[in-house]
Amino acid sequence: MSLTLDEIQNFKGKYPKQIWSLFFSEMWERFCFYGMRGMLVFFMISQLNFHEKEANLQYGATQAFVYAFTFVGGLFADKILGFRKSLFWGGLLMIVGSLILATDPHKFFFLGIAFTVVGTGFFKPNISSMVGQLYKPNDSRADAGFSLFYAGINLGALLGGYLCIAIGKGELLGDFISEGMRWNIAFGLAAVVMVISLINFVFTQRSLGTIGLQPGHPLSEVKSAPIAKWKEYGVYILSLLFIPIIMKMVSVPEYTDYFMWTVGPLTLIYLFFEMSKVNSSERKKLWAALVFILFSILFWGIYEQSGGSLSIFAAKNLNKDLLGLDPNGVNNSGGAFFIIFLAPLIGLLWIWMSKRKIEPNTIIKFGLGFIFLGLGYYVLFATRFFADLQGITSLNFFTIALLVITLGELCLSPIGLSIMTKLSTKNLQGMMMGMWFLASAYGQYVAGIIGAGLATTKEGATNYDALITYTEGYKQLALYAVIAGVVLILLSPFVKKLMQEVK
Ligand code: GLN
């Protein structure tokens, strides 16, 4: 029997049961995505003979395009495909991309990556929007649901990020897989898990009632005329046409700059156009959403040092005093590891506080997110006080910084997903979720610029000098984060007004 939206949203207990199914589909998708992302730079350098700088630039470009495409994926979901079909199409493209890479990663590397970029754009924002629809607009349990969902994201990220590259390098199953096949199997694994994600979603659909149906479907929540079939096929064809374009754009670093400088203003103009069509109360909420989106760029810009300057810092300036673990391994996966345990707990904390009417609202949570981020970066700065004369400092202490940064992430990232679904009008859900992720694309971009600014150690400088330069930079970033947090908290009465009844 098909459930009505009301029946789904009036669930008893802490979480709607459908959230577990969406959790698993997203977990496998993130496995595929982070599995692939984790292999990119290493593969380009060791297998395609790219220089380090070139490989890093292309990696950055891929990341920017992935998150920029979420806007396109969200927009087409709202207008033409609906969340379910978008997710399915995105998943298929990701499978094709991974299979291409599994067949011949050396020959078809950028083709496979381009498929994955477009596929992720269609998949990623729309599954998050569906999580939001499991809740009534003012259900105080939504943030906890998104926190749980976020644990799924990170479980997939951790498993995929670890397993794929370990297989590719031959560190895992090396005795069973011949050397010439390791990368094929590693990319093939990404395809397999993506198939699992989609099969899981096929079963999930049955319990989703009307959530995610195509606009114009007789049962769809947003009432509109049926969508002509040619439009739907048009989207499929258009997205395929983007693939050669992305291949080209990723390969020339300047194109990423042009792209980033044009796409942001264009999406803003489009958002303002959509804003002109809604009523004033809806418009105010969209303005509030934009405030969150803009602040999140700064958050990710600082946070994403983990893939850039912090990985260099980990390699050069950290010892192995944490159980003998490799510092880069800890830097890459420590955050995800903490999130898997902390996200559900923090979710329950929100529910507990809400029952006692002391739950902070979204703006304060965002403010706290920045303050934790800042404190985490102050801890990174403080690693210098534990350094020896060679500039080597404590991994233990570094890990405490990761933990504090993770607390910040949990106050901002899942809450951001949740608030996007609450502040968007029904027919702009996908696009606004896409904009939220587009901010991540800018965050990645800003992170690269900040990271390059930090790497100013002169030729011939010692390891100790590098430690001082980097930690000085982290102190600056810590200050910016704390200032942003305080500004948000000061702005809270103003943003609250824009948000109206939404918490
Ligand atoms: N790590 C989270 C994910 O993969 C958040 C990414 C982001 O918004 N930058 O979904």
Side-chain angles (χ1 to χ4, degrees):
M1 191 191 67
S2 174
L3 293 163
T4 65
L5 190 60
D6 247 6
E7 283 166 337
I8 294 176
Q9 294 180 338
N10 285 327
F11 64 91
K12 301 260 178 309
K14 295 189 170 66
Y15 303 107
K17 68 174 192 309
Q18 293 82 351
I19 204 166
W20 291 104
S21 315
L22 295 173
F23 174 109
F24 283 113
S25 277
E26 175 65 341
M27 181 186 107
W28 292 122
E29 184 267 345
R30 289 287 94 182
F31 183 119
C32 172
F33 175 79
Y34 280 102
M36 210 167 279
R37 169 174 137 150
M39 291 188 278
L40 287 188
V41 170
F42 188 88
F43 187 87
M44 282 190 268
I45 294 172
S46 72
Q47 303 292 309
L48 303 177
N49 299 324
F50 279 41
H51 293 298
E52 213 169 287
K53 186 170 172 215
E54 212 182 349
N56 275 305
L57 281 173
Q58 303 223 337
Y59 166 81
T62 323
Q63 289 310 294
F65 285 114
V66 162
Y67 283 110
F69 249 82
T70 56
F71 180 81
V72 179
L75 184 67
F76 282 133
D78 284 338
K79 303 286 175 204
I80 297 176
L81 296 180
F83 300 137
R84 294 189 195 185
K85 283 193 172 171
S86 297
L87 182 152
F88 219 83
W89 176 239
L92 278 181
L93 293 176
M94 290 177 83
I95 294 171
V96 173
S98 315
L99 285 178
I100 290 174
L101 289 165
T103 313
D104 192 340
H106 294 86
K107 208 159 156 196
F108 300 125
F109 185 71
F110 285 105
L111 181 65
I113 296 299
F115 265 93
T116 312
V117 166
V118 180
T120 310
F122 278 90
F123 189 108
K124 174 79 171 150
N126 297 317
I127 191 159
S128 313
S129 297
M130 281 193 269
V131 173
Q133 305 236 325
L134 300 173
Y135 296 90
K136 286 203 188 309
N138 278 320
D139 192 329
S140 58
R141 298 168 295 184
D143 286 3
F146 273 102
S147 297
L148 180 69
F149 182 70
Y150 208 71
I153 286 178
N154 283 277
L155 189 54
L158 189 65
L159 292 174
Y162 179 78
L163 291 176
C164 289
I165 191 157
I167 293 175
K169 280 176 160 177
E171 282 165 10
L172 197 73
L173 305 177
D175 295 340
F176 301 98
I177 308 171
S178 67
E179 204 175 332
M181 283 303 286
R182 285 176 189 155
W183 290 105
N184 306 66
I185 303 278
F187 286 112
L189 181 61
V192 171
V193 299
M194 207 51 225
V195 172
I196 301 178
S197 167
L198 283 197
I199 294 178
N200 181 56
F201 186 69
V202 171
F203 288 104
T204 308
Q205 289 194 80
R206 298 187 188 159
S207 61
L208 285 179
T210 55
I211 295 174
L213 290 174
Q214 191 169 18
H217 186 287
L219 298 175
S220 170
E221 295 299 319
V222 186
K223 298 291 167 223
S224 60
I227 303 287
K229 270 285 166 211
W230 70 264
K231 285 193 183 163
E232 184 179 333
Y233 292 127
V235 173
Y236 299 144
I237 293 169
L238 191 67
S239 43
L240 291 176
L241 292 180
F242 269 119
I243 287 172
I245 299 176
I246 290 186
M247 282 172 70
K248 182 78 205 154
M249 305 266 287
V250 169
S251 62
V252 184
E254 294 85 63
Y255 287 172
T256 316
D257 294 325
Y258 302 146
F259 178 78
M260 295 306 282
W261 285 104
T262 28
V263 85
L266 284 181
T267 47
L268 275 181
I269 292 171
Y270 185 74
L271 174 68
F272 294 147
F273 163 70
E274 289 285 358
M275 278 165 116
S276 70
K277 296 196 286 188
V278 296
N279 67 37
S280 117
S281 148
E282 292 169 334
R283 191 172 313 122
K284 282 185 186 148
K285 287 183 189 163
L286 291 172
W287 274 114
L290 197 55
V291 173
F292 290 121
I293 289 171
L294 291 177
F295 269 89
S296 79
I297 297 178
L298 178 62
F299 184 92
W300 295 116
I302 298 175
Y303 174 96
E304 291 288 353
Q305 289 309 307
S306 62
S309 74
L310 277 175
S311 69
I312 302 173
F313 181 74
K316 282 192 181 160
N317 297 101
L318 292 177
N319 62 24
K320 294 188 170 183
D321 65 0
L322 179 71
L323 310 166
L325 290 169
D326 168 52
N328 279 95
V330 173
N331 177 48
N332 287 344
S333 44
F337 178 80
F338 287 133
I339 285 177
I340 293 163
F341 296 102
L342 290 176
L345 291 181
I346 294 208
L348 294 177
L349 175 72
W350 300 140
I351 292 185
W352 183 86
M353 291 175 101
S354 152
K355 279 199 185 128
R356 282 156 192 77
K357 308 232 175 311
I358 51 169
E359 186 188 8
N361 64 35
T362 302
I363 319 157
I364 307 289
K365 284 180 186 166
F366 258 60
L368 287 173
F370 273 99
I371 288 174
F372 277 122
L373 178 72
L375 291 179
Y377 271 76
Y378 273 122
V379 179
L380 285 178
F381 162 70
T383 54
R384 65 156 69 173
F385 303 121
F386 299 86
D388 60 18
L389 291 174
Q390 276 68 49
I392 304 290
T393 182
S394 161
L395 176 60
N396 268 321
F397 208 69
F398 176 88
T399 310
I400 297 175
L402 279 189
L403 175 65
V404 182
I405 292 170
T406 301
L407 287 173
E409 181 181 356
L410 284 173
C411 290
L412 182 133
S413 186
I415 309 301
L417 299 177
S418 174
I419 200 68
M420 286 306 121
T421 66
K422 292 180 194 162
L423 291 174
S424 318
T425 52
K426 274 221 160 102
N427 60 342
L428 296 179
Q429 294 266 329
M431 186 190 96
M432 292 311 285
M433 193 59 91
M435 268 199 107
W436 169 257
F437 287 116
L438 179 63
S440 285
Y442 280 91
Q444 302 265 0
Y445 189 67
V446 171
I449 297 170
I450 296 177
L454 289 182
T456 48
T457 330
K458 296 187 189 62
E459 282 293 309
T462 64
N463 219 22
Y464 191 82
D465 297 333
L467 172 86
I468 297 302
T469 313
Y470 273 119
T471 50
E472 197 54 38
Y474 297 143
K475 189 169 84 175
Q476 285 292 321
L477 295 181
L479 182 66
Y480 297 148
V482 172
I483 292 175
V486 173
V487 169
L488 258 172
I489 293 172
L490 291 177
L491 278 180
S492 72
F494 168 69
V495 185
K496 237 189 216 159
K497 257 199 201 126
L498 293 174
M499 290 168 69
Q500 303 151 69
E501 77 290 352
V502 176
K503 299 268 178 336

